Amino acid sequence: MARAKRTTAFPVGLYGMLLFALAWLTLPRLFAPLERVLVGAACSVPRCTATWFGEPAVAADRSDLRRIEELGERLLRRVGEHDLTGAGDAMPLGDQPLMCRVLSVDRRGGGGLPSELRLDRSYAELYGCRELVTKGGALLGYLLRPGIGRAVDDLPGDPARVMLCHHRDAPRCYAMAVDPDGGPPLRIVVRPAASVDPAPLSVDMWDDPFRASRLHAAGYEVRTLPLAFGARRVPGGLLLGRTRIWGYEPDGVDEPLTIGVYVVPPVLPQALSHVVVWRPSGVEAPSAAASHGAHSRSAARLYDLPGVGHGRHLLVAERAVPDDAAVIQDGLFLGTARGLSFGTGLVTAFVATRQPWSLLLLPDGDDAEPIELYGRVEQGDGDRAWLRLVDGPDGRPTRLVSGYLFTGSNGRHCPAGLWIGRAQPDQFERDLLEVKVPALSGASVAEVFVEEAAR
Amino acid sequence: MRRWLWWFLLVPQGFLIAGLVADLGLPALDMAVLAGLFLAWFADRRALPFLLLGVAVGRAMVDEATLPVHILVVGIPVALCLPLRGLFVAQHWLWQAFAAAAFAIVVPKLSGLCGRVFDQPSVSAQLDGWAVVWSALLMPPLLLLTRHLPPFAAFVERGFDGGRA
């Protein structure tokens, strides 16, 4: 009797379940199959009833799909035009640029920003390529080698990893800070900053410390100087970023006081969707190397779940749906799926998600450079979403214009270049982007993007 | 065994029915608030962990966060309210309305907090003032009703069932 009273006074089972949930969150992969089965079984009821609400149909006709495909091609062509140019002048003559898609970003580096990229090509595919990884005229980082250094456990068939310049193991760079007023450039050594520092890169040494201490204005362009050190050769002229001054502002009595100078890279790592790797002339591409970039499209049916505000859809697929797989409805990106057992999945529409997104904005006009963005939907309302964008690493807002919004790099199963909708900057807030997506409802035919296993 | 089957079959679908009700233009009610209040005040304490799991599965169908986050979002307020069970069981309507409003505020706030901590933000973290008002007005009679309907009725704790004890 006393034992029963103790049990009721202290509900061990409930607290045990809460502890179990914490353990689940700590080891998500271990318990993921359990979630797939439980939620998948619960979804079997709406799956059975969904068939009463009509047969899935395709709303877009062939010309619409062709137009959407052309937009995606235009985006990738323009990304290529701008990413491949710029660094070419600095690289040795005859080097071939290879554009690679970013699969994921990882590992906190200088300034607390992610500092490692995983590419859609394997180490074997990039065998013989130069160590330097660029984007436009900027130096982004260094390609790792399998079995060496940080990639000691990686195999040649694994997706290649790139260590960005602010990775804690990245080598120091010999560079120059270009005075915008035409003064002589300051030669400096740039190294990865600590994760708690206000910027990803910090300036370590100066050729003229006196001039450096009188730097009060930020925004000096920092470019590499040519350096040959052992096997590592860094060409001159590649953009590393812009300076940021850390110190005290003038207060009317005292002069401004510069304590530290940092360098902020030109692109936010989370926003990177494509990078460029260079293959020296005379080095042949391997013929039978494992490839990671290929996607297959799996046919599926999509049903609306009740609750407009939730923006949830039930996905019934012909094959297992991996987590975070992109779902395409009538050629448009709808959202990413959570895979469940019994051939089902749950999709949250882009306008209803609150997760962060890497995005590509294709500005209107014929030759404007695509803009890489990173942000999350702050508010969604039917077919409109308001995206709050994260400022660039230099703290300045991203330049926003009207254009077409596409997915950027959002994981293995969500490739860059899927059209989301039409975007235009908000009238009142500089970091807000209004996105209008085509309104689609009812049961429909969809496609799920699944990355194929390495071939 | 049969009562558990009904619980896992019907309660998760309750979240979809709540969405359907909102789509029809009727007051938007959070099923997690109703289920959480039932668990906190009327449910058999020994059955609480798996009752909570059924509620979390339902919430996982309409919200993009993962299942363990929903267990925490619903389970923490239940664990906090459990010691106060004596205050609410005897049909103190005002208390129940007050607690329902508090639940309707706490659940989205906790959802937002868990979303930030575990990097799983979701749309249900947005607090809707109307949902709070409707919860305060409708939850006490709905609780009275659900306690006498399956599958909830099968899990009402003996001796704590308000007037029935």
Side-chain angles (χ1 to χ4, degrees), chain B residues 123-159:
Chain B
V123 73
S124 60
Q126 275 179 339
L127 182 63
D128 179 2
W130 281 111
V132 176
V133 172
W134 285 119
S135 293
L137 292 174
L138 296 179
M139 283 303 169
L142 276 176
L143 274 169
L144 181 64
L145 188 69
T146 49
R147 277 159 50 204
H148 296 93
L149 288 176
F152 292 88
F155 291 97
V156 173
E157 191 164 70
R158 286 183 189 174

Side-chain angles (χ1 to χ4, degrees), chain A residues 31 36 68 83 88 97 120 169 191 215 227 297 314 325 355:
Chain A
F31 297 106
R36 280 175 166 257
I68 292 168
D83 283 3
D120 67 338
D169 294 340
R191 66 169 173 83
L215 273 181
L227 177 74
R297 292 183 181 212
L314 177 69
Q355 69 177 70

Side-chain angles (χ1 to χ4, degrees), chain A residues 220-300:
Chain A
Y220 281 40
E221 244 181 31
V222 177
R223 290 188 176 274
T224 56
L225 286 170
L227 177 74
F229 180 75
R232 176 164 292 133
R233 288 174 195 282
V234 179
L238 294 174
L239 182 71
L240 275 175
R242 289 176 184 276
T243 56
R244 175 187 278 183
I245 309 294
W246 193 251
Y248 292 95
E249 295 277 352
D251 60 358
V253 180
D254 294 318
E255 290 278 300
L257 179 64
T258 299
I259 295 173
V261 179
Y262 293 90
V263 178
V264 285
V267 190
L268 198 68
Q270 299 97 313
L272 281 168
S273 62
H274 296 87
V275 296
V276 178
V277 175
W278 295 83
R279 189 186 299 282
S281 59
V283 175
E284 289 295 315
S287 54
S291 172
H292 287 269
H295 284 88
S296 64
R297 292 183 181 212
S298 166

Side-chain angles (χ1 to χ4, degrees), chain A residues 180-193:
Chain A
D181 297 330
L186 280 161
R187 284 183 293 175
I188 55 178
V189 174
V190 178
R191 66 169 173 83

Side-chain angles (χ1 to χ4, degrees), chain A residues 120-179:
Chain A
D120 67 338
R121 293 179 194 243
S122 66
Y123 289 109
E125 272 182 289
L126 300 178
Y127 177 76
C129 287
R130 292 195 190 279
E131 201 180 12
L132 300 179
V133 177
T134 63
K135 185 177 186 66
L139 171 66
L140 291 181
Y142 306 90
L143 189 65
L144 295 176
R145 307 278 179 211
I148 300 170
R150 284 211 66 82
V152 70
D153 296 327
D154 290 359
L155 298 170
D158 291 342
R161 286 195 288 157
V162 173
M163 173 169 70
L164 296 177
C165 290
H166 59 275
H167 192 286
R168 65 176 186 183
D169 294 340
R172 295 174 180 206
C173 284
Y174 185 43
M176 63 175 178
V178 183
D179 188 346

